[in-house]
Amino acid sequence: MYILSSLALLFGLATASNHVVHDDAWQPDHILRVTAQNYSEACTERYSTLVNGSSPGPELRLKEGQVSWIRVYNDMKEENTTIHWHGLTAYTAPFSDGAPAASQWPIPAGHFFDYEVKPEIGTAGTYFYHSHVGFQAVTAKGPLIVDACNDEPYHYDEERTILLSDFWSAPDDQIVAGLRSSNFTWSGETEAILVNGHSRQQTNDTGDCKLASIDIEPDKSYRLRFIGATALSFLSLAIESHDVQIIEADGHYTQPLNTSFLQIASGQRYSVLLAAKSAADLHSAPRRHFYLQLTTLARPEVLTNFAVLQYPTDDSPADLTTVPSPPPLPVAEIAQGWLDYELAPLHPDPQFPHAHEVTRRIVIDVHQNVSDHVIWLQNGHDWVETTPASPYLVDIYTGRLNPDASYRRAVARGHGFDNITHTFPAQIGEVLEIVWQNQGTVDNGGVDAHPFHAHGRHYYDIGGGDGRYNAAVNEERLKTAPQPVQRDTSVLYRYRKETQPLAPSGWRAWRIRVTSAGVWMYHCHSLQHMVMGMQTVFTFGDRADVLAQSGGVDQAYLVYGGEAYGNETWAPHVQEFK
């Protein structure tokens, strides 16, 4: 009876929505075509998932407050795909977050989907897009920049986008099969760090690949947009003979912070201001190029790769095929808790939730376990794309999932997790304090670092530290620190390589106001860890909240390969939500 009445409400509301057929007369703002083919990176040919025939794919530029339609074609022959707009809130168009099994059915092979993307006012900054299926994001990705609708708060002459990624010679399917097999096979450590798709190492002396060149001119100021689009690597980055000023983190402007290096984990983005050297200084310098040095952190093997910051020259251009040896800068070591309690928002945020407003604290213990295969667990549970039979959001619309019942079970169990639906439910109006608690691996006490990413609304990062989370101690520290900034990806540090099995070894704490109904992935952004189960799902609001926010939805979105997904012979039937 509940499902029948829910469906009546669902489609009754849907009749009032803006339904459009996106036929040949309709044109998207951007087109992305996802293919799988042989592609050369780091002097090696690999079968890879690409966007518009390259990795990274084209840079997209959107504008605050404006709807952009982005058509994504899945030109692969067998694989599903999606595109996630990493860091952008997607609550205005419920099926546009790009998280398969959570908020949409994936795009079948030979089909396409029109994503409705509307960056909120106040979210101008640096983002990226990537596939959210399997291991495709190792190559299927590209930069996404949101331009401000008003004047930028910082002045600079020009900007450069610098996207960082990893390289493995093994193809995606082989890596995923090894990670999920009962005969566990690790992917191996990254074989190269790529800058805007380019990398070269000492061992590549016969290949035709080159170091990336970032071209700048003297006497100018530059905004460098760094995008951590790596699959696994947590990187330290420094520019020879140049310091920078951080002005943005994850799409939010910050007060300027001087630094000689950056630490960038998978999923994180930073904008920095760089003052180029003067023409007079360069005239007396022995060369006009300087190395950007990148080093992997918190991994069993250290890899150092390079790019080149290049000033114009007529007689001595940088040799992009020669790798500096020894490295021009000291090889970096990890700075545990880098920027914690230091980075501040550009302007005080009146919406920051204080401790007395917190309605629930949810502690999520994370560790690796070995059963019939190697998995990562959150409060004893793993989550993979096949965990739900259909996407949670679809099940909420059709009445198969009742968030109210999930919420009651989760609260009764005491730690916020509903073990029936494998979700963390929350009600609109709550203020959550979410604590990621690192623990030693079950078999040997090993500890890893994890960049945790939240879909949907950004959270306020209230810090991190060693051992077990102590709310009272952290609250005292917050009293003398700058107001926490909003982030969508922050690092759960490990603080040591190993400890006792299940012993606490580091924590990361967030606060978030539950304001936007929907289904949101919260997960480690290391692709290997995601494939091995280090993901979970938060549902915000009940079914009435979801319907109130979006209205009803058409059946076209609620079945795999439904009429909202176009193909060669079928123009998609689309609901335009905004």
Side-chain angles (χ1 to χ4, degrees), residues 262-387:
L262 299 175
Q263 283 187 181
I264 306 179
S266 175
Q268 294 186 312
R269 292 92 58 214
Y270 291 99
S271 281
V272 303
L273 292 182
L274 178 141
K277 293 182 179 295
S278 68
D281 287 341
L282 287 171
H283 181 73
S284 58
R287 53 191 170 92
R288 298 172 69 91
H289 68 271
F290 302 87
Y291 286 102
L292 186 154
Q293 184 169 315
L294 307 103
T295 302
T296 56
L297 303 171
R299 301 303 310 161
E301 300 173 14
V302 176
L303 177 66
T304 299
N305 280 178
F306 306 90
V308 173
L309 191 73
Q310 174 73 55
Y311 289 88
T313 179
D314 296 327
D315 53 359
S316 57
D319 179 0
L320 300 179
T321 62
T322 299
V323 178
S325 181
L329 298 172
V331 175
E333 295 184 0
I334 192 168
Q336 305 282 3
W338 184 69
L339 294 188
D340 288 354
Y341 311 99
E342 293 183 58
L343 205 59
L346 181 59
H347 302 293
D349 185 349
Q351 293 300 311
F352 170 67
H354 296 278
H356 69 272
E357 299 177 82
V358 172
T359 57
R360 276 194 300 149
R361 179 177 299 120
I362 298 174
V363 179
I364 306 176
D365 296 322
V366 296
H367 69 272
Q368 190 182 91
N369 191 37
V370 180
S371 53
D372 60 335
H373 57 292
V374 181
I375 55 177
W376 285 97
L377 302 176
Q378 295 81 220
N379 287 349
H381 295 269
D382 64 330
W383 195 98
V384 294
E385 293 168 11
T386 56
T387 294

Side-chain angles (χ1 to χ4, degrees), residues 212-255:
S213 177
I214 300 145
D215 297 331
I216 64 172
E217 298 180 14
D219 299 301
K220 285 188 174 183
S221 58
Y222 289 86
R223 178 179 185 165
L224 306 182
R225 298 178 182 266
F226 288 101
I227 299 173
T230 52
L232 179 67
S233 294
F234 182 17
L235 298 173
S236 182
L237 178 154
I239 304 174
E240 183 185 13
S241 300
H242 293 73
D243 289 343
V244 296
Q245 242 184 11
I246 297 173
I247 60 166
E248 178 220 343
D250 292 357
H252 292 277
Y253 284 109
T254 68
Q255 293 183 18

Side-chain angles (χ1 to χ4, degrees), residues 191-210:
E191 298 168 35
I193 307 163
L194 295 94
V195 176
N196 293 339
H198 297 277
S199 181
R200 186 176 178 87
Q201 301 178 79
Q202 298 286 355
T203 55
N204 298 148
D205 55 352
T206 59
D208 60 358
C209 56
K210 296 180 179 180

